Amino acid sequence: TGMGHLRVTKEGLRLEGESEFLFPLYAKEIHSRVDSSLLLQSTHNVTVNARNSNGEVTGRLNVGPKMVEFHSQQFQINSKDGKPLFTVDENEVVIGTDKLRVTGPEGALFEHSVETPLVKAEAFKQLRLESPTRSLSMDAPRGINIKAQAGNIEALSQMDIKLHSSDGVLFVDAETVRLPKLPEGARGGSGISQGLYEICVCPDGKLYLSVAGVGSTCQEYSRVCQ
């Protein structure tokens, strides 16, 4: 029936207690006892290899004292119902969960581009998109929707903020539009511009600047509108 901690049963071989193998162990399946977990332990590292019919290693899992390494064409983590949660291959990384939560104090750092249909802050938390040393660019072929249902939206820049529509109209739809830091001119002659300009609108919606005067200097049939 066996010897020492080794027992031969109708289900196969049964090892009781801790066992040490000095040479390779070949088995179709390895199970732990029903009331305990399966422990694989080594003084250096634990390596699990998968080979093809030619004996070539096609997958390797290496658990070392400082790092866990996986070598294969694809790495995938599934949920208990078989749904892919995390998939990695040479071309991309796919996260299949409904929500990706980043809990680090510095947020998420992306060195290159990010493609996503939605960026949303946690409930009662602020969402901040920041590029400390470079520019921040958001591109979409059918528009970008920025919404704050219970707060303000702020766009801060050290230099210029440009709103440009290549083929469309720019709408400013609000109950009140305020420009609090526009320079105010002092009373003077009609020929003194003081470096101030008036924003004029052409009949087709085109905007242009006109040197400010005592009254409006916008012309309905200005040369700029032609």
Side-chain angles (χ1 to χ4, degrees), residues 108-110 128-137 156-158:
L109 176 62
F110 300 98
R128 184 174 182 178
L129 303 178
E130 181 180 0
S131 179
T133 59
R134 293 295 185 269
S135 61
L136 177 61
S137 176
L156 305 178
S157 176
Q158 184 178 359

Side-chain angles (χ1 to χ4, degrees), residues 106-161:
E106 299 297 330
L109 176 62
F110 300 98
E111 295 183 357
H112 301 285
S113 62
V114 178
E115 182 177 351
T116 177
L118 176 63
V119 178
K120 184 178 180 180
E122 192 177 359
F124 305 106
K125 297 293 181 65
Q126 294 184 355
L127 175 63
R128 184 174 182 178
L129 303 178
E130 181 180 0
S131 179
T133 59
R134 293 295 185 269
S135 61
L136 177 61
S137 176
M138 292 185 291
D139 299 325
R142 300 186 61 181
I144 297 174
N145 185 13
I146 302 176
K147 181 186 296 184
Q149 297 180 348
N152 299 328
I153 295 178
E154 296 183 3
L156 305 178
S157 176
Q158 184 178 359
M159 300 180 67
D160 299 334
I161 296 179

Side-chain angles (χ1 to χ4, degrees), residues 13 28 54 102 123 133 147 153 164 184 187 211 224:
L13 298 179
K28 183 178 180 181
N54 298 326
V102 181
T133 59
K147 181 186 296 184
I153 295 178
H164 174 70
E184 296 182 0
R187 289 186 176 272
V211 178
V224 180

Side-chain angles (χ1 to χ4, degrees), residues 31-43:
H31 297 275
S32 65
R33 298 196 323 182
V34 178
D35 57 347
S36 62
S37 59
L38 178 63
L39 175 64
L40 301 178
Q41 184 172 292
S42 173
T43 57

